[in-house]
Amino acid sequence: MQVKHLLLIAILALTAACSSKETISENLGEAELYQQAQADLDDRSFTSAINKLKALESRYPFGRFAEQAQLELIYAYYRNSEPEAARSSAERFIRLHPQHPNVDYAYYLKGLASFDQDRGLLARFLPLDMTKRDPGAARDSFNEFAQLTSRYPNSRYAPDAKARMVYLRNLLAANEIHVADYYLRRQAYVAAANRGRYVVENFQGTPAVGDGLAVMTEAYQHLDLDELANSSLETLKLNYPDHPSLQDGEFVPRQKESDNRSWLSRATLGLIETENASPDTTQSNRDVLRQYEAAAKDLPDELRPVLREAEAESDDERDEGRSWWSYLTFGLFD
């Protein structure tokens, strides 16, 4: 209960801090306004620093601190947990100052903002599996760090960007495997095989490649594509002999066969089996049957006795073929 109260107090305090409007004196000069913004950044008063930096940019758009204030604003937004505002400010700076000596810093902060975008309060303090979350922000962050490392390979921020790209690539590959497992559970074996092949072809060097081969093997086995299944399995054994899906050299599927029996069959432990829905229960066949019934109504009168006799004979044949269980349950379980 105390944790809930603390969280509530923290949320209220943050709301009050964000909603407060700081009044900035109109008499402050450019240098003084910039110094106050720097002091707020040093004190981690990021909301106040944002207000001062925005005021500095609007009052002195061509001043000597204008470009630096734009860079500082990106950082302030990022540290204030406003990733969208940070990315927007970074894009604006890159567009306005593509030749600025510190433009690589804008690229780096843009990638960091996307990197932390899906890492909210719960993700930071709870053991959540990031590979099962929406990979959109991770993909954006990877592309933005890739731009930085390709355009500015000698940047001081390039080594950290490359390290984060390795992590993001592993995360994206693991996410593809989770999607493939979902398809396996839904018996969408073609989609699962395609996901596994995508990981093998596009994420070489990641730990998920072995999982991709295992997914391909299992999906191809379900599809009775023995040649493809054997090829994937041999590649898995050769490159990942210690993979969890291999036990004593034999392949063990990740997903068990699903039980497609009806609820009645499962409830009675198979004592009462019901047949699967026949093809004539599909919507298209029902439409054909409806058309046939409508055409039967339009038959001439001289042909109706013949039709009734044929239907009667068919009913007699069905009655002769009924089991005692069908009679006992009035045909409910035919």
Side-chain angles (χ1 to χ4, degrees):
M1 206 62 184
Q2 293 179 353
V3 176
K4 292 182 178 179
H5 289 163
L6 290 174
L7 287 175
L8 180 60
I9 293 172
I11 291 172
L12 292 176
L14 288 173
T15 304
C18 294
S19 61
S20 61
K21 295 291 185 179
E22 182 181 3
T23 302
I24 301 175
S25 174
E26 296 287 344
N27 299 323
L28 289 176
E30 180 185 8
E32 188 175 3
L33 191 57
Y34 180 75
Q35 290 175 0
Q36 290 189 9
Q38 287 294 311
D40 289 335
L41 290 175
D42 293 338
D43 294 338
R44 300 179 181 272
S45 301
F46 299 114
T47 301
S48 180
I50 290 172
N51 293 333
K52 290 183 174 65
L53 291 171
K54 290 171 66 176
L56 175 62
E57 185 181 2
S58 62
R59 294 179 188 179
Y60 308 98
F62 304 105
R64 58 173 180 161
F65 296 107
E67 294 181 2
Q68 185 62 29
Q70 292 175 12
L71 276 176
E72 301 285 0
L73 186 61
I74 302 171
Y75 174 77
Y77 277 132
Y78 168 68
R79 293 302 305 273
N80 205 40
S81 300
E82 299 182 53
E84 288 294 343
R87 295 181 74 249
S88 178
S89 298
E91 291 173 357
R92 178 171 175 267
F93 184 88
I94 294 169
R95 185 177 65 255
L96 294 176
H97 313 287
Q99 303 301 324
H100 194 279
N102 295 325
V103 70
D104 58 333
Y105 182 62
Y107 278 104
Y108 179 67
L109 285 178
K110 184 182 177 183
L112 282 181
S114 298
F115 187 85
D116 292 338
Q117 186 168 352
D118 59 349
R119 297 171 176 273
L121 182 64
L122 293 178
R124 295 182 181 183
F125 296 98
L126 295 180
L128 300 180
D129 189 353
M130 299 300 297
T131 63
K132 295 182 179 181
R133 305 191 66 180
D134 180 17
R139 191 176 292 110
D140 291 340
S141 181
F142 182 89
N143 293 334
E144 287 152 5
F145 283 136
Q147 288 184 2
L148 169 63
T149 56
S150 62
R151 296 188 181 188
Y152 306 96
N154 298 323
S155 170
R156 59 184 295 189
Y157 310 107
D160 183 73
K162 290 179 181 178
R164 292 177 187 270
M165 287 174 65
V166 172
Y167 164 79
L168 290 169
R169 194 164 180 266
N170 292 341
L171 186 147
L172 292 172
N175 180 266
E176 293 291 334
I177 295 299
H178 285 304
V179 176
D181 285 340
Y182 171 82
Y183 285 138
L184 284 177
R185 291 195 300 270
R186 295 296 182 272
Q187 300 181 12
Y189 300 123
V190 174
N194 289 336
R195 288 282 182 166
R197 188 174 68 250
Y198 179 80
V199 171
V200 173
E201 293 177 351
N202 296 277
F203 293 96
Q204 282 293 324
T206 65
V209 172
D211 296 330
L213 290 169
V215 167
M216 292 171 63
T217 302
E218 183 171 351
Y220 289 142
Q221 287 179 350
H222 285 294
L223 293 171
D224 294 328
L225 300 175
D226 296 335
E227 184 177 353
L228 292 175
N230 293 335
S231 176
S232 301
L233 181 57
E234 290 301 321
T235 305
L236 178 65
K237 290 180 178 179
L238 180 63
N239 295 278
Y240 302 93
D242 297 328
H243 193 271
S245 63
L246 298 176
Q247 296 182 7
D248 298 329
E250 297 296 328
F251 180 75
V252 179
R254 298 165 65 94
Q255 302 295 336
K256 296 182 179 179
E257 287 283 354
S258 61
D259 194 349
N260 293 321
R261 296 180 301 166
S262 66
W263 65 269
L264 181 62
S265 176
R266 291 195 298 268
T268 59
L269 303 180
L271 295 177
I272 303 176
E273 294 284 355
T274 57
E275 296 181 357
N276 294 330
S278 59
D280 60 359
T281 60
T282 63
Q283 183 63 42
S284 60
N285 283 313
R286 284 198 295 268
D287 292 339
V288 173
L289 182 60
R290 194 178 303 112
Q291 294 174 6
Y292 167 77
E293 294 173 349
K297 294 179 181 178
D298 297 333
L299 284 174
D301 293 337
E302 59 269 17
L303 294 180
R304 290 185 180 276
V306 178
L307 180 62
R308 283 196 293 271
E309 291 177 3
E311 291 176 348
E313 292 177 358
S314 177
D315 291 340
D316 292 340
E317 292 176 356
R318 283 197 296 268
D319 289 341
E320 291 177 0
R322 293 175 62 188
S323 64
W324 64 269
W325 177 255
S326 176
Y327 284 109
L328 185 62
T329 59
F330 302 100
L332 293 177
F333 302 105
D334 284 347

